[in-house]
Amino acid sequence: MAGRSRLIRLLNSYSGRMVGGVLLLHVVLLPFLLTKVISLIEHSYISQFVNNSRSDAYLLSDLVGSTPDQERVRNYMDEAVLTSRVEFAKYIGKSGESISLGRFPEKLVEDFSFSSHDDGVYQIVVPVFDPQAREVAELVLGYDERPVQLDMSQAKRSVYSMMGIYSTAMLIFSIFFARNLARPINQLQSLTRYIAEGGYGKLDETMGIKSSITEIRDLSLDLERTRRQLLEQTSKLEFQAYHDSLTRLPNRILLEDRVEQMIRVADRHRKSFSLMILDLDKFKEVNDTLGHHVGDQLLAVFANRVKRSLRNMDTFSRLSGDEFAILLSENDRKKTEKVIEKISALLERPFTVDEQNLQVSASIGVAIFPDHASNFSGLLKCADIAMYHAKRQGKRYSVYSEEMEHLDVEKIGMANELRNALKHGDLVLYYQPKLSLEGNRVDCVEALVRWKHPRKGILAPDEFIPVAEKSQLINELTYYVLDQALRQCQQWLKKGLHLSIAVNLSAKNLLDESLLRNIRILLDQYQVLPGFLELEVTESMVMRDPTQAHKVLSQIIRMGIKVVMDDFGSGYTSLAQLVSLPVSIVKIDKSFVLNMFKSREHRAIVKSVIDLSHSLGKLVVSEGVENQRIMTEISDMKSDQVQGFHICSPLPADQLEDWLSRTDYRIGEIPVEKYHESGQYSV
Ligand code: C2E
Ligand code: CA
Ligand code: CA
């Protein structure tokens, strides 16, 4: 069976067909050619023999007829029998005399063609004429056919052997030729198959076939070109499939692959390794304020800088947006810490994007195999939880622990508790005065919310505002604070304390369509003029949806409410952008004020914010005034208002009233119009 299929394969192959074709041609043509050649040879031999014999016989008959002398006749015949190919001769005279010479056959039969009667002798009978042309006798001559037959068969043999040699040579040649031709074709075939099966080899190697046959050489060159193109395309596609296009870092798929490899190795050698998640802080702000193209460039330069600081064996991958992962090949706590330190150090230098210097910080979560999880998704989840934990705690990094998950559950519980707290009035407002330096007056206080938690005591806003923002409670909370603050404002007004109240807004509040209507209702309800209310917003809030924010803030200002740009400088708003922002007051972030004497840059920022805001007709508040030194410096810089522990910490309403009654500062004379002399956002 196998033999048969091999034969069929051979017959269907190029060389099989070629050799088969040559064989077939010869099987059909050779017998025909042979018979033709042989009959030609035979014909020429026979006709030569017959002609010779006949002319010989007539010559002898002429000689014999020329003499009546019987003795001479016999001599002539004798000579013929002896010397020529004549086997026998017989003279039969008309008058009955006869002479017989040679070896006679049994019966005399005249032959009319060569080799008839199968007696090996060609017999001819010729008449004998005397000189007077009278027929006097008959001459019967027998010519030996055997020498001619021998010659003929010898000639045939050499024809056969020549044909044999020719056929064999032809066969050998065709096999050789077919093989020679088929070899490069076979090589091309295997190369094509190799390529079709996805084996593209390497770019620096050549896979072409060497052949002197032009068509095959061209085909081979084409194939080589195709292979290279496929190789380039495949490696490009492969790169795209496993890498992030922006940073060119390995993507999640490749990371997963490497982590799984690492798990196999670590399992075998009972080793551990760590997976870290690194998330940029406040990256959204960069995107919102400076645009996505700056955000993208920042990610790319950041990725490049971190990548260069890691070893080749470590994998640095981009998971999504501003989230990256680092797979360290070994887990030595010290080493992990070293890597984190290295990354933190390189984040201290600002990143230059679009000719702007951007400062970036990051939070890192660490998960360790096999302590925390034994597969990729588990490790990723743990690192993620640890990263969020670090972010919440304001730490550079944290290593996963089970309690962190409980904390998350706790946050969900907290949202429910907060909902109840809002219902039961467990949130209270503390008030922190803002001091106007001109005239040493306190005419505004900022309302800062606190949660009187039944078990945990007084909670700071940073602990629950993010929960409120996440759990859709933030609008409710803001209205709660506005309600309490305006109620307090009304009470103070009634007591003759003319204090305006500043309330902090959250980003989501600006998207709330009923915000303005609700504020108006509350102002009406408590009979408070809009000029007694300030709303504090942060730049990141504004930049999240600038069009909407501009619209809402302009409406707020038109209502006569003042808008304070809180924490100015902590985001990415440039001083130039300040021009177009619909705000009445700029509050410099406390981090700059607090560090005024530690860094010249911070001091310079404070000074330029004050100067620029003034030239734009905006008031400036400096928060974080913790000591007299800062206070003096800030007032020298002509900040309009100051706020900070040095003046007064945030206090509950009753305690604030005590403080107000004791303080030397003048209280509650609001020169509202003075704020807006420039008229830009005037009431
Ligand atoms: P903020 O608006 O920047 O408020 C100022 C924060 O700085 C307050 O923290 C205040 O206690 C603190 N502070 C005041 N003087 C000084 C000082 O001299 N030095 C230092 N180091 N800090 C000072 P607090 O009350 O914990 O509030 C934190 C943040 O929570 C606020 O920052 C504000 O963004 C937010 N927040 C507070 N109340 C509310 C609210 O009712 N609604 C919303 N949405 N956010 C609020
Ligand atoms: Ca504030
Ligand atoms: Ca602030």
Side-chain angles (χ1 to χ4, degrees):
M1 209 51 198
R4 225 183 114 193
S5 70
R6 202 174 306 148
L7 181 73
I8 290 172
R9 241 202 356 252
L10 180 71
L11 284 180
N12 280 333
S13 73
Y14 186 81
S15 33
R17 286 276 164 103
M18 183 136 179
V19 175
V22 170
L23 274 177
L24 192 72
L25 202 72
H26 284 74
V27 166
V28 174
L29 282 184
L30 262 190
F32 173 73
L33 260 172
L34 266 180
T35 40
K36 211 66 194 155
V37 169
I38 285 166
S39 86
L40 266 172
I41 290 171
E42 278 180 348
H43 185 75
S44 80
Y45 268 102
I46 291 167
S47 60
Q48 197 183 6
F49 172 80
V50 170
N51 288 344
N52 285 350
S53 307
R54 283 196 175 273
S55 59
D56 200 61
Y58 280 106
L59 209 66
L60 193 59
S61 121
D62 281 355
L63 270 176
V64 169
S66 65
T67 172
D69 183 357
Q70 289 294 300
E71 204 49 37
R72 283 182 73 182
V73 168
R74 174 180 287 274
N75 279 347
Y76 285 140
M77 286 171 60
D78 203 25
E79 211 165 308
V81 171
L82 275 178
T83 58
S84 74
R85 302 155 294 137
V86 180
E87 203 58 357
F88 61 85
K90 188 169 186 167
Y91 179 91
I92 308 165
K94 287 279 176 200
S95 34
E97 73 280 22
S98 80
I99 304 164
S100 290
L101 286 170
R103 216 169 28 88
F104 253 89
E106 269 155 37
K107 56 178 182 185
L108 287 178
V109 198
E110 189 177 358
D111 288 327
F112 293 101
S113 65
F114 183 79
S115 181
S116 49
H117 305 119
D118 222 7
D119 49 8
V121 177
Y122 180 72
Q123 288 189 47
I124 44 176
V125 181
V126 285
V128 179
F129 299 97
D130 66 4
Q132 285 77 39
R134 286 172 305 198
E135 190 176 330
V136 288
E138 265 183 343
L139 205 54
V140 180
L141 290 165
Y143 286 87
D144 191 0
E145 286 177 330
R146 278 165 312 177
V148 177
Q149 275 169 342
L150 212 69
D151 283 354
M152 267 175 17
S153 58
Q154 223 162 35
K156 268 200 249 172
R157 258 205 307 283
S158 46
V159 167
Y160 281 136
S161 59
M162 260 169 60
M163 284 296 179
I165 289 169
Y166 161 78
S167 310
T168 323
M170 200 58 203
L171 199 65
I172 290 172
F173 178 74
S174 67
I175 288 173
F176 171 79
F177 188 68
R179 280 214 166 171
N180 239 355
L181 206 66
R183 196 184 311 120
I185 290 181
N186 285 342
Q187 284 172 340
L188 274 181
Q189 187 197 28
S190 0
L191 183 60
T192 315
R193 196 175 297 150
Y194 174 71
I195 292 171
E197 280 164 3
Y200 303 139
K202 291 192 183 116
L203 257 183
D204 52 5
E205 65 185 341
T206 318
M207 289 196 158
I209 274 119
K210 288 195 182 77
S211 170
S212 50
I213 303 162
T214 326
E215 286 85 349
I216 289 183
R217 205 174 43 227
D218 288 353
L219 203 62
S220 157
L221 283 175
D222 285 350
L223 201 62
E224 173 63 8
R225 212 170 300 130
T226 311
R227 178 188 77 87
R228 277 170 180 276
Q229 275 168 2
L230 279 173
L231 183 64
E232 274 166 14
Q233 244 158 33
T234 323
S235 39
K236 211 188 274 170
L237 282 177
E238 222 164 72
F239 189 86
Q240 277 169 4
Y242 293 112
H243 292 81
D244 163 52
S245 58
L246 175 69
T247 57
R248 304 183 71 76
L249 291 178
N251 62 12
R252 184 186 285 258
I253 304 170
L254 187 54
L255 176 75
E256 181 169 359
D257 196 55
R258 300 234 172 119
V259 169
E260 271 161 11
Q261 265 178 37
M262 194 81 108
I263 288 176
R264 280 196 291 276
V265 176
D267 256 344
R268 214 176 308 133
H269 299 104
R270 298 185 171 283
K271 281 194 162 179
S272 64
F273 65 87
S274 55
L275 180 69
M276 300 195 241
I277 284 188
L278 181 154
D279 188 276
L280 296 184
D281 300 330
K282 293 189 182 175
F283 179 70
K284 199 175 176 313
E285 271 180 42
V286 179
N287 266 343
D288 289 344
T289 34
L290 304 174
H292 281 94
H293 73 285
V294 174
D296 282 357
Q297 284 181 57
L298 175 64
L299 286 177
V301 288
F302 166 78
N304 192 28
R305 199 188 278 180
V306 174
K307 192 181 152 83
R308 270 186 291 149
S309 76
L310 293 171
R311 295 181 320 169
N312 276 347
M313 278 151 69
D314 304 329
T315 303
F316 181 43
S317 143
R318 181 175 176 214
L319 296 176
S320 64
D322 59 344
E323 203 173 61
F324 298 83
I326 303 169
L327 173 66
L328 293 183
S329 49
E330 49 196 277
N331 172 49
D332 171 343
R333 208 188 159 99
K334 268 206 185 122
K335 181 163 183 258
T336 310
E337 274 171 10
K338 227 173 164 180
V339 170
I340 292 169
E341 256 166 41
K342 222 186 213 175
I343 293 171
S344 311
L346 55 86
L347 288 183
E348 263 160 34
R349 274 186 293 130
F351 293 88
T352 311
V353 174
D354 247 12
E355 293 175 358
Q356 308 178 61
N357 284 338
L358 302 178
Q359 198 69 52
V360 170
S361 67
S363 311
I364 298 173
V366 185
I368 294 164
F369 172 91
D371 304 1
H372 301 146
S374 55
N375 58 21
F376 173 67
S377 58
L379 285 167
L380 211 59
K381 191 178 139 229
C382 292
D384 203 51
I385 290 172
M387 184 272 289
Y388 274 110
H389 188 258
K391 217 179 255 284
R392 271 197 303 272
Q393 305 276 306
K395 292 200 293 190
R396 238 181 341 183
Y397 81 102
S398 65
V399 180
Y400 172 81
S401 74
E402 246 177 73
E403 295 92 72
M404 291 177 183
E405 299 209 36
H406 300 312
L407 281 177
D408 255 21
V409 177
E410 218 171 80
K411 286 268 165 328
I412 299 168
M414 201 183 213
N416 289 328
E417 281 185 315
L418 186 60
R419 194 169 288 120
N420 285 329
L422 282 165
K423 226 179 272 164
H424 300 124
D426 289 343
L427 299 187
V428 293
L429 298 190
Y430 277 41
Y431 299 92
Q432 185 178 33
K434 296 183 188 180
L435 175 71
S436 296
L437 290 173
E438 193 193 325
N440 265 351
R441 285 184 333 263
V442 172
D443 34 39
C444 178
V445 290
E446 180 178 2
L448 295 158
V449 69
R450 304 283 182 263
W451 182 357
K452 272 193 176 160
H453 195 278
R455 280 178 288 117
K456 297 178 188 159
I458 291 188
L459 296 182
D462 291 341
E463 287 179 76
F464 59 90
I465 295 283
V467 177
E469 280 171 341
K470 270 209 188 105
S471 53
Q472 316 298 327
L473 284 171
I474 193 64
N475 284 339
E476 208 180 315
L477 185 140
T478 302
Y479 293 131
Y480 180 99
V481 172
L482 274 167
D483 182 88
Q484 297 281 308
L486 290 173
R487 183 197 303 260
Q488 185 61 61
C489 184
Q490 185 191 37
Q491 283 178 13
W492 280 332
L493 284 170
K494 279 182 184 161
K495 287 184 186 172
L497 284 171
H498 288 214
L499 289 170
S500 64
I501 301 257
V503 170
N504 292 282
L505 290 187
S506 244
K508 282 203 183 124
N509 298 140
L510 292 184
L511 304 174
D512 175 14
E513 283 170 5
S514 40
L515 178 73
L516 296 173
R517 191 160 31 94
N518 286 338
I519 291 177
R520 205 169 280 132
I521 292 172
L522 286 171
L523 287 171
D524 285 351
Q525 188 185 335
Y526 294 112
Q527 301 274 298
V528 172
L529 288 170
F532 279 82
L533 182 62
E534 291 182 6
L535 292 176
E536 300 201 355
V537 294
T538 59
E539 26 174 335
S540 56
M541 277 163 65
V542 175
M543 291 311 163
R544 208 161 290 181
D545 185 350
T547 330
Q548 168 73 4
H550 274 62
K551 199 178 101 195
V552 177
L553 295 182
S554 308
Q555 280 171 331
I556 290 176
I557 286 173
R558 274 201 297 276
M559 276 168 73
I561 298 166
K562 289 185 279 294
V563 172
V564 183
M565 171 60 62
D566 200 358
D567 300 346
F568 189 79
S570 65
Y572 296 95
T573 318
S574 66
L575 288 177
Q577 279 170 304
L578 199 54
V579 182
S580 60
L581 284 176
V583 299
S584 347
I585 304 169
V586 176
K587 193 191 262 191
I588 307 175
D589 190 59
K590 53 182 170 290
S591 63
F592 297 103
V593 179
L594 281 169
N595 291 312
M596 253 170 69
F597 293 107
K598 290 191 195 126
S599 120
R600 281 167 63 191
E601 284 84 5
H602 284 103
R603 217 178 119 97
I605 288 171
V606 174
K607 177 95 178 82
S608 12
V609 172
I610 294 174
D611 291 349
L612 189 89
S613 304
H614 282 166
S615 64
L616 294 171
K618 298 176 200 299
L619 278 183
V620 179
V621 188
S622 307
E623 63 175 6
V625 176
E626 287 189 352
N627 52 50
Q628 184 57 48
R629 195 170 170 216
I630 298 178
M631 174 96 159
T632 314
E633 185 71 15
I634 281 284
S635 58
D636 284 352
M637 285 182 179
K638 300 277 181 294
S639 171
D640 301 278
Q641 294 183 323
V642 286
Q643 188 182 3
F645 296 160
H646 179 65
I647 298 102
C648 181
S649 299
L651 296 170
D654 50 349
Q655 288 182 33
L656 183 86
E657 282 176 32
D658 281 352
W659 180 84
L660 290 170
S661 63
R662 279 185 280 112
T663 184
D664 292 339
Y665 301 126
R666 292 161 61 198
I667 314 293
E669 297 160 35
I670 315 164
V672 182
E673 294 71 25
K674 196 163 188 321
Y675 287 1
H676 306 290
E677 272 161 5
S678 74
Q680 201 174 357
Y681 294 114
S682 62
V683 185

